[in-house]
Amino acid sequence: MDLRQIESKWRKKWEETGLYKFRPERADKKLYVLEMFSYPSGAKLHAGHWYNYGPADTYARFKKMQGYEVFQPMGFDAFGLPAENYAIKTGIHPQDSTLKNIATMENQLKAIGAMYDWDYEVITCVPEYYKWTQWLFLQMYKHGLAYRKEAPVNWCPSCNTVLANEQVVQGECERCGSVVERKNLTQWFFKITDYAEELLRDLDKLDWPEKTKLMQKNWIGKSYGGEIEFAVKDSDVTFRVFTTRADTAFGVTYVVLAPESPLVDKIVKPECRAAVEEYRKNAAKTTEIDRLASNREKTGVLTGAYAINPVNGREVPILVADYVLASYGTGAVMGVAAHDERDYVFAKKLGLPIERVVKGVDGNDDLPFCDYGVMINSGEFDGMTSEEGKVAVIKKLEKEGKGALKTNYRLRDWLISRQRYWGAPIPMIHCEHCGAVPVPEEDLPVRLPYNVDFKPDGKSPLAKCEEFMNVKCPVCGRPARRDPDTLDTFVCSSWYYLRYPDNKNAEKAFDREKIDRMLPVDKYIGGAEHACMHLLYARFFTKALRDMGYLDFDEPFLSLVHQGTILGSDGFKMSKSRGNVVSPDDSIEKYGADVFRMYLMFGFSYVEGGPWNDNGIESMAKFFDRVERLIRKGSGQDEVRASVDAREKLDYVRNNTIKCVSADIENFSFNTAIARIMELVNAVYDYVNAGGATDTFFEDCRKDLVRLLAPFAPHFAEELWEILGQEYSVFNQPFPVCNEDALVLRKVELAVQVNSRIRAKVTVASDATREEIEKAALAALEGQLEGAPKKIIVVPGRLVNIIA
RNA sequence: GCCGGUGUGGCGAAAUGGCAGACGCAUGGGACUUAAAAUCCCAAGGUGGUGACACCGUGUGGGUUCGACCCCCACCACCGGCACCA
C-alpha cells in the first residue's frame, strides 16, 4: 500500500466532509483537548513537535470514538524574541517572516493527520488577537492588578540594549560577550502575588503530575513565621525582620539590612557613611547572577547604629550586607550566628559574637546548630521546644505590639514590560499632566507599527517611532507619549485557550456563556519546561478574570500531561548548534506519517522520552504490512470454522486487548497499547493459521482490530476500513467495548512454589476452591515434600506458595 | 547545598507486593526459493549440565515480608528544577 498516497487521499476526504468540525450544538458532550500551541520558528517541525502532537491526537481520536465531541484547536504563539533576532540578523521584518512561517507550519501540522479544526485557529500577533491581549491588560490595570515600579533589566553596554534573561549567558551578552550590567527602568508588573495563596491551595484540585505541582509549590514558596520589631537606639526609627525561627530570637547578636533598603540612609552614623555608601555602590554594580551565587564569600559593613532586641532589650549592631535581599520579607534579617548557616559564616568573618540559645536533644554541641531543639538562655522560654517557642515568642511580642505571626511567599510579581519591538504594545499613555493614562477601550488595538527601526541602539524600538509615540492624552487632550514597551509574550499565551472557542468574536475577548460551556480544558498536553512560568501565569489569569466576573471557573487546565523530550541520538537536547536535530521529513517521505507517529508512540515511554534512534522504524512499517495482509485475506465465506477452543482463545485476546488499549490510552501509555494491538494481530494470525478460519467471528475481530488501530494510524485505518467494505468513516464508529465475559477463563495456570521458589506449574479450573487448589499443588509436587507443610499461601489466578 | 525523578537483557522497553524481561529491534536456526528479498515458524537474561534441571540475576549495601524492580534505611551515578528566601 502506498501510504503517502492514501494519506493525502483521506486528508482530502476528511476536509471535504468536515469530519472533524466541532459541533457546538453537542457541547454538552464536549471534551476540550489542548496541546500547547507552537512557536512559528523558521525551521520545520522536528521530531519533538510530532512527539507532542501525534500522541495527543491519538488520545483525541480515541475520545471522539468514545462519543465525545472533541474540541482540539491549534494556533501560534507568534510574538517573541526569536523572530526579532532573526530580523536583526537578516533584515527580514518579523511580521513577514512570522506570517510566512505560520503558513508553512500549518501545512506541516496538517501532515501529522491530527483532527485540528482550523476554523478555530488563533494567532497571537494579529491585531484581531492582540487587541484583546491589550484589553486584558487594561482590565488588570483597572482592577489594581497592574502597576509600575522600578526594576532592574539586563543591560549590555556594548550593544546598548536590554537583554532578555535567555540572552544572558553566564553573565555575558549572548551576542558580543560583554559583561552584562543591571540598570533600573520603570516597568509594568502584574500582581500575581495577590493570588499566591489560592494558586498554592488549588494545586490540590488538579490532576497534574505531582512533580509539576511540587515545582509550582516551591516556586510560590510559602513559609510560616513571624515579624519582630526592632527599635533603633537613640532614634524613633523602628523596623521589622521576618523570621521562621523566632525561637532563636534571644540569640540575636546583630541585625542586617539589605543594601537597597531605604532604611540605611536614615540610620547610618556619620563616621560609617562613606564605607556604607561605597558598599552600596559596589552591590548595585554586581550583577544579579554574581550576587545569587550561593558560595560567594559573605561581605558586609557596620552602620554604626544599634538596634534593640525586643525580647531581651539587648543592643546589637546594625550592618548592611548583600546576602540580605531587599525583595524578600522585609529586607532586613536578625543575625543568629549560632543557629543559621549563613549568619554563622558571616559572624565568623566579621568577628561578631555567637551565642547559643537552642540545645540539641542528643547533646550535640557543634555550631551552627540549625535543627529544632530545646530553648536555653531565653528567659521565661527556657525549656520550650523550638516548635512551641517560635510561636510563643511571637505571640508575646504581638501583645506588646512588637511582632506578628506572618506568612511569606517567595513568589514575586510578574514583570511584563519588554523593551522589544515584536510584541503587543502596552496600551498606556504617559501624560505630563495626568500621569499614566490607559488607552480608552474603544481605541484598541494600539497597532504595532510596521515601519520601525528595530535594530538595537539603546532604546525600545517603538520609542524611536514618532508617529507611534505621539498621541493626545485621552484625559486632558494635550500632547502625550505612548508607552514604548511591549508585553511579555507569556501574557499572550496566558489566555489563548480562552480565545479558541470564540476566536472570531470582534466585540469581546470571548463570550462568557460560550467559554463557561467550553472550559476548563479537559486535557492539556505540553512540555514540562513550562511548569513554573506559562502554567502558573495561565492559572493566575483565569483566577483574576473570574474575580472580575468574566468567567466562572477557577482553573484553566483540569488535567495535564507532559510529554518527555526526544533527545538527539547523542543523548543531548536537540539543538542547531550541536547539529543533532532530528527532522522527521526523511522518515515521513519514506514511510508516511502514520508509521512515524506509531513509531514514536511505540519506541518511547511517553512521559520519559529519550535519545532518538531509528532502529525500529522499519519494523513498524513491516507491522503495517502485516496488518494489511490480514485485512486483505479472503473472508466472509463462513465455511471454514475454527474449533471452539481456538475461538475462545482469540476472543479472550481480543477483549483483553480492547480493555488494555482503552486503559492505556487513557493513561497516555501508548507504547503498551500498541504492544497489545500487536498481540491481537499475532493472535488473529494464529487463529487463521491454525484453522484457516475465515468466518464471521474472524470478520468481527478484524473490524475491532481496525477500530483499535484507528486512533494511532488514522489514514491507514480509514483505508483498511474501506477495504473491509465498511461505510465511511471509521471515526464515526464506536471504539470497541470489552466483553468481560470473554475474559473469564475456564482454566488457569498457577505457579507452585515451595518456600517461595518455583518448583512446578499446575492448571486448575478458574473457579476452583482453595482446597482444590492446595490439593492440586501438592499433587504437582509428586510427594517431593517431606512432612506436612507449615503454611500454604494461595494467590488466586497467580500462585500457590507452600511453606515447608 | 536543597527538592524531585531515573537506574531492569546486546538495544527500545514491560511488570495492582505474587511466575522479572510483555511487545518489539538486533541475533541464531528452520520452512518457502535455483538464489536473494519478502513472508511464515521456532529459539533466545547469565553461568553450569547432553538433558530434565540447578544456581545467579532489576545501580550498591542493609531491612520488612511466606514472597520485593515495587515498601523502609543508607549510599553511588545520571537527569531535571530551585539556589544566600532569613
Side-chain angles (χ1 to χ4, degrees), chain A residues 34 72 121 157 204 448 493 507 533 567 681 706 741 784:
Chain A
L34 182 64
Q72 190 190 24
E121 183 179 19
D204 289 341
L448 184 66
S493 59
E507 307 301 317
M533 310 280 269
L567 306 169
V681 171
V706 174
D741 293 344
Q784 290 167 34

Side-chain angles (χ1 to χ4, degrees), chain A residues 752 759-760 775-785:
Chain A
V752 180
R759 288 292 180 252
K775 204 172 141 198
L778 289 168
L781 292 170
E782 292 165 348
Q784 290 167 34
L785 226 51

Side-chain angles (χ1 to χ4, degrees), chain A residues 635-687:
Chain A
S635 67
Q637 299 97 348
D638 208 6
E639 282 167 12
V640 195
R641 287 188 159 276
S643 67
V644 173
D645 254 10
R647 283 173 86 110
E648 261 183 27
K649 207 168 141 195
L650 178 56
D651 205 31
Y652 176 86
V653 177
R654 171 207 198 181
N655 283 286
N656 188 51
T657 303
I658 292 167
K659 186 175 179 172
C660 292
V661 169
S662 307
D664 285 348
I665 298 178
E666 204 71 64
N667 294 324
F668 281 65
S669 179
F670 301 107
N671 55 346
T672 52
I674 293 170
R676 296 290 91 79
I677 293 175
M678 288 173 167
E679 279 172 355
L680 177 60
V681 171
N682 292 343
V684 179
Y685 266 100
D686 285 349
Y687 180 77

Side-chain angles (χ1 to χ4, degrees), chain A residues 37 39 76-84 124-125 129 133 166 414-418 420-424 486-496 530 533-534 537 541:
Chain A
F37 60 173
Y39 181 80
F76 296 93
D77 189 14
F79 273 135
L81 207 54
E84 190 165 341
T124 60
C125 70
Y129 183 86
T133 306
E166 51 268 44
W414 172 15
L415 197 170
I416 49 170
S417 299
R418 294 291 179 272
R420 288 277 152 187
Y421 167 67
W422 191 232
T486 52
L487 290 166
D488 179 6
T489 51
F490 277 119
V491 177
C492 308
S493 59
S494 289
W495 73 283
Y496 75 107
H530 292 110
M533 310 280 269
H534 164 62
Y537 296 151
F541 256 62

